[in-house]
Amino acid sequence: MTDQLLAPAGARSRTISAAMDLADIQGNILLGYNSGATSYVFLTVTDAAAARSWLGELGPQLQSAQDRPVFPAVNLAVTWRGLRALGVPQARLDRLPEAFRDGMAARAALLGDRVEQVAGRSEPVDWRSPFGSEGRLHLMLMVSGDPARVEAKVAGLQQEFWQCGVTELDPPLHARHLPQGREHFGFRDGLSGPVIEGLEASRHAGSARPSVPPGEFVLGLPDVDGLCDDTEPWLTRNGSYLAIRKLEQDVAGFHRMLEAAARHSGLSVAKVAALLMGRWPDGAPLALHPETDPGWDPPAGNDFDYSADATGDACPLGAHVRRANPRGSLGFAGRLERRHQLIRRGVPYGPRFDPAAPDDGQERGLLFACYQSDLEAQFEFVQSQWLNDGNAFALGGDQDPIAGAGCSGFGLPGTPHRAPGRLRGIQPHIWPRGGEYFLVPGRRAVAHLARMAPVPGDDGAGRAS
């Protein structure tokens, strides 16, 4: 391990790192696998020495971002409490970001997960295992690929756990992509992501979408301000912070809401749905096709921004995709949004919705995941300021109609506040059933955790007992 990797901890600095080390970066950060299925395996550490030894064996098997994924692909994430359980010195742990140290449950009020807002189904006391406030979730394996091969790989891993110093907290959560890449509400999902400098920018030359430095997502690389996070480079370099949200969807209730809004407004159900989402179900953005659904036309369907639609005549100011990614609508040529970009990954879980049996009692939803270098400035900002607050869009207290904490109406194009330019009875039909913050470490950091060698400045305290 080089002296540079083990440099003393510090705040963000203007040290410019080398280009992306794709061999060290775990593949699920930068690569959209689109592999059919992902199983999430939740673990707690019961024997630190045995668990570190197991990580040493697991590390070389982790899929990197350097090559085409080999499925089933295995990736690893660890919570702050997981790092402590593995034996990372407390002095080092205390230097990691506050949001990561706290965990998602402790920051639920900031995210809008309060009992009074979503009918008692959103607060952490109602979250389902393994999420919540107990702090026993230490490690998470993500296994992606063809469903049958994923199931076999997970079964093989489970056979090892008894001797590896870890035990499962819960059965794995099996999430599977639906046909045409849709989520349970019927919309094509995962259509766009940030254009990353040095990775994708050349493919999007001339696009309306600005590129974003890789340091917004990969720790130890320059961000939009030219700064690098050097908090704990031996542990965090080439890693990323991962926010996971298990979002249950009331699909039948969502469709009933659309039908009621269509009757009251005189619009079609499809148009109401498109207005709320900001895209037609097939994926075409209202910003380019405000009147009719032309179907999905990649990549042209993502080459747009809202700079020519300041008043929301084409795409409502409060539409979900516009709030989640304002694309130049906040002025300053989109520079305000670059600091708050996310690499979004999401896979549906639960059975496919059958309109013939709308109230089947089955739980279904989205396992939402996003990667970033700063949980507060990225995921938490987007959730609290763009989805749960309308001020940035001149919408006052209006919240996001799809993923906000609460909503009582929705402004139609061009008239965000005046009746009859509002849809009434619009409420979110998604609520959190759990979530957590993780570090997805670089592959060298996993190897270091396995060895737990002394860290300069710790006077040997970094050595695990």
Side-chain angles (χ1 to χ4, degrees):
M1 192 166 294
T2 66
D3 292 338
Q4 181 184 25
L5 185 59
L6 291 177
R12 285 183 178 250
S13 71
R14 288 200 177 272
T15 302
I16 301 300
S17 301
M20 281 184 284
D21 186 351
L22 296 178
D24 193 34
I25 299 168
Q26 291 200 53
N28 55 342
I29 299 171
L30 299 177
L31 304 177
Y33 289 158
N34 296 322
S35 56
T38 299
S39 287
Y40 300 83
V41 184
F42 307 105
L43 304 171
T44 191
V45 173
T46 55
D47 182 323
R52 291 194 300 270
S53 178
W54 173 63
L55 288 181
E57 298 175 2
L58 180 70
Q61 303 175 47
L62 299 177
Q63 175 68 52
S64 79
Q66 184 176 39
D67 303 309
R68 181 183 296 273
V70 177
F71 297 117
V74 179
N75 292 106
L76 170 75
V78 56
T79 65
W80 183 85
R81 291 172 178 83
L83 293 173
R84 184 172 61 184
L86 288 168
V88 176
Q90 189 67 40
R92 292 292 181 177
L93 293 172
D94 289 344
R95 298 181 188 184
L96 295 174
E98 180 180 3
F100 179 57
R101 299 196 313 265
D102 288 347
M104 188 178 289
R107 302 172 75 83
L110 171 68
L111 301 175
D113 299 344
R114 295 191 296 271
V115 65
E116 68 271 16
Q117 284 194 305
V118 192
R121 296 179 290 195
S122 180
E123 196 169 342
V125 294
D126 296 307
W127 286 4
R128 295 176 178 171
S129 180
F131 304 109
S133 57
E134 294 105 347
R136 296 184 299 121
L137 177 52
H138 294 157
L139 303 170
M140 181 174 67
L141 294 176
M142 295 159 281
V143 185
S144 304
D146 172 82
R149 296 183 66 193
V150 165
E151 184 177 346
K153 182 64 175 180
V154 169
L157 289 166
Q158 289 171 320
Q159 294 298 314
E160 303 175 2
F161 292 155
W162 68 274
Q163 58 184 350
C164 294
V166 297
T167 59
E168 287 189 88
L169 285 172
D170 238 36
L173 176 61
H174 301 294
R176 183 177 297 191
H177 290 283
L178 300 178
Q180 297 180 314
R182 296 178 188 266
E183 49 74 53
H184 287 296
F185 285 159
F187 289 88
R188 198 182 290 265
D189 195 21
L191 296 178
S192 64
V195 179
I196 302 173
E197 294 175 5
L199 186 69
E200 294 185 306
S202 61
R203 293 197 298 114
H204 296 273
S207 169
R209 299 160 60 202
S211 60
V212 182
E216 289 298 314
F217 317 107
V218 180
L219 296 162
L221 294 173
D223 63 14
V224 295
D225 299 316
L227 305 179
C228 295
D229 188 330
D230 286 330
T231 307
E232 284 293 323
W234 68 274
L235 175 63
T236 61
R237 184 158 296 172
N238 290 327
S240 185
Y241 289 112
L242 167 64
I244 285 281
R245 299 273 276 180
K246 185 182 181 185
L247 302 174
E248 184 175 350
Q249 296 175 256
D250 176 8
V251 184
F254 179 75
H255 287 302
R256 285 194 290 265
M257 177 191 71
L258 295 181
E259 291 166 0
R263 287 195 301 270
H264 295 154
S265 65
L267 301 170
S268 69
V269 170
K271 185 60 180 287
V272 171
L275 290 170
L276 298 181
M277 187 64 71
R279 287 186 186 267
W280 296 94
D282 280 339
L286 289 185
L288 299 178
H289 306 283
E291 299 301 329
T292 58
D293 182 1
W296 176 236
D297 180 24
N302 268 324
D303 188 13
F304 72 94
D305 61 26
Y306 302 109
S307 58
D309 188 29
T311 58
D313 292 319
C315 179
L317 301 178
H320 171 67
V321 299
R322 184 165 185 164
R323 296 181 71 134
N325 185 4
R327 293 187 185 233
S329 62
L330 301 184
F332 301 97
R335 290 190 295 272
L336 291 177
E337 294 107 65
R338 294 176 77 221
R339 187 64 185 92
H340 308 296
Q341 292 288 296
L342 302 168
I343 294 179
R344 292 176 171 87
R345 305 275 187 248
V347 187
Y349 71 89
R352 187 178 180 185
F353 178 72
D354 181 1
D359 298 305
D360 58 6
Q362 296 292 310
E363 182 182 339
R364 54 179 58 86
L366 183 74
L367 206 293
F368 172 84
C370 65
Y371 296 91
Q372 62 262 283
S373 62
D374 189 329
L375 288 162
E376 290 188 66
Q378 291 167 275
F379 168 70
E380 291 189 343
F381 182 93
V382 171
Q383 185 69 37
S384 63
Q385 301 300 312
W386 287 352
L387 301 187
N388 290 344
D389 193 313
N391 282 338
F393 309 96
L395 296 175
D398 277 7
Q399 298 191 12
D400 185 278
I402 302 295
C407 181
S408 59
F410 181 79
L412 291 171
T415 57
H417 294 296
R418 299 192 304 273
R422 288 179 69 80
L423 294 175
R424 303 294 178 181
I426 303 300
Q427 297 178 341
H429 286 76
I430 294 178
W431 54 87
R433 286 299 197 183
E436 189 52 279
Y437 293 147
F438 296 86
L439 171 68
V440 180
R443 298 168 80 220
R444 283 197 297 271
V446 174
H448 181 78
L449 284 170
R451 295 192 306 268
M452 203 64 73
V455 177
D458 280 342
D459 297 325
R463 188 183 298 279
S465 59

